Each structure stands twice: as C-alpha cells, then as structure tokens.
Amino acid sequence: MNRPQTVPLLLDATELAADPAREPGFAAQAHRLLAELVRDGAALGWVEPPSPDEVAELLTQVRAAARAGDGALRVAYLGERLVGLGYWLRYARPTHRPHADLEKLAVDAAAHGQGVGRALTAALVADARAAGVEVLTLDARGDNTGALRLYRSLGFTEYGRLPAFVAVGERRYDKVFCMVDLRTGKRPAPGT
C-alpha cells in the first residue's frame, strides 16, 4: 500500500501552547493516540490503555519540566491530526543531572513509514543538545525492531540489555538500553 508522503508539522511545547487551533484538543488527541497504540500492543510502558486523566497528568508534568529546562516535548501533526509525540526528561538524581532520558516516542500506526518518528526523534535530540544535555538515553522493548533500527540510524548505540525483563502478561521481552553522546570535544580516558 502506498501512503502519501507528507511532511509532519513539528511543534515544541511552547509552540503548541501558543497555537489556539491545536492546544485546546491536545490532551484528548494525545490520549487517543497513546490509548490506541497501547490497545494494539505498542511498547509504551502501559499494559492497559492509559486513562484520559493519566495522560493529562503526564502531559502536565512533561510541560512543567520543559518550561523549567528539564525536559522537552515534541508533537507531530499531519493536517489537524496529532500523529506523534515524544519527550525527554532530565534525570532527577543530582549526579545524573547533565543527562536525560527519552522516555516516550509514540507514532500513530496510520502514520508509520512517513518519517514522523524520525522527525520527532531528531528534533528531541536537537533539543537535548541545545539544552546542554551530555548523554541522552532511552530504553526500548527488544521486539521493537523498527524503533531500534531508527535509533541506531540517528546515532544511538546499545549499551546494555536485560533479557526477558519486560513482562506483558505471560510474555517476556528484553529491555534494550541505548544512548547518544552529545558532548563535544574529546572525553578523558577512563581512570584519568
């Protein structure tokens, strides 16, 4: 099936908040997107689809972190439809504050193959670099080969794996850890 190739409109948290056409329905569209993906088996950290209140609370926390410089939110629209969202948050532990974790990246199944995931991930990496994040990490379910391939193509490398760690009912999946080093210049050798 050939899908029309359309460039997604990407907005950050500030641009979204300032958009009177998109902001009012954003939480409901985000809930629809996440609930549909989880219902269809997507690896987003939920076993059952999240409630509207759960998604609204999550978005409130992410937006607050973005305003404080401790996170970034990116959303993607094709026309008026929200087709993707992703965010990273800085680590809370003081010794890990220079680093952040890309915690969620969700793309509407109908928009797969249209560059939405790539555009969102690239924008989130650029946001992290601009915010002075040194290392951006993420984890993915081991069977999510498309996402892992995307992350590798954008410079992420695997740094660890926990076999059969993710439990979805009776099924078990590896948890794969990936990172991209955003520091410039040469790092000191270990032990120096």
Side-chain angles (χ1 to χ4, degrees):
M1 177 169 102
N2 290 334
R3 297 179 197 185
Q5 291 295 313
T6 308
V7 176
L9 170 66
L10 293 183
L11 301 173
D12 65 22
T14 302
E15 293 164 332
L16 176 64
D19 189 328
R22 290 186 173 85
E23 171 57 27
F26 170 64
Q29 284 198 40
H31 173 258
R32 174 206 47 84
L33 172 67
L34 294 170
E36 286 176 4
L37 288 168
V38 171
R39 181 199 66 219
D40 293 340
L44 291 170
W46 290 287
V47 173
E48 297 295 326
S51 70
D53 288 343
E54 190 175 358
V55 171
E57 182 180 330
L58 172 67
L59 294 172
T60 297
Q61 292 169 356
V62 171
R63 289 172 143 191
R67 282 191 302 277
D70 290 333
L73 170 69
R74 285 287 180 159
V75 297
Y77 286 87
L78 288 175
E80 299 305 311
R81 184 173 171 89
L82 178 71
V83 295
L85 67 86
Y87 67 89
W88 58 259
L89 297 172
R90 283 193 193 272
Y91 285 96
R93 186 180 297 174
T95 56
H96 296 176
R97 293 288 298 157
H99 315 297
D101 191 53
L102 198 163
E103 294 193 11
K104 293 234 187 294
L105 185 73
V107 176
D108 191 315
H112 285 180
Q114 297 185 43
V116 175
R118 175 171 296 282
L120 281 170
T121 306
L124 288 165
V125 170
D127 292 343
R129 184 176 277 116
V133 169
E134 294 178 6
V135 177
L136 183 62
T137 62
L138 61 84
D139 64 76
R141 203 166 76 187
D143 68 325
N144 198 347
T145 56
L148 290 167
R149 188 172 35 255
L150 169 67
Y151 300 140
R152 278 192 300 276
S153 76
L154 291 170
F156 284 84
T157 57
E158 182 177 328
Y159 69 89
R161 183 179 287 253
L162 292 171
F165 186 81
V166 179
V168 180
E170 295 299 314
R171 297 177 307 244
R172 298 294 182 266
Y173 303 93
D174 289 359
K175 182 174 184 175
V176 181
F177 298 94
C178 299
M179 55 82 68
V180 63
D181 193 329
L182 303 176
R183 294 173 279 203
T184 57
K186 193 168 178 118
R187 293 189 312 251
T192 61

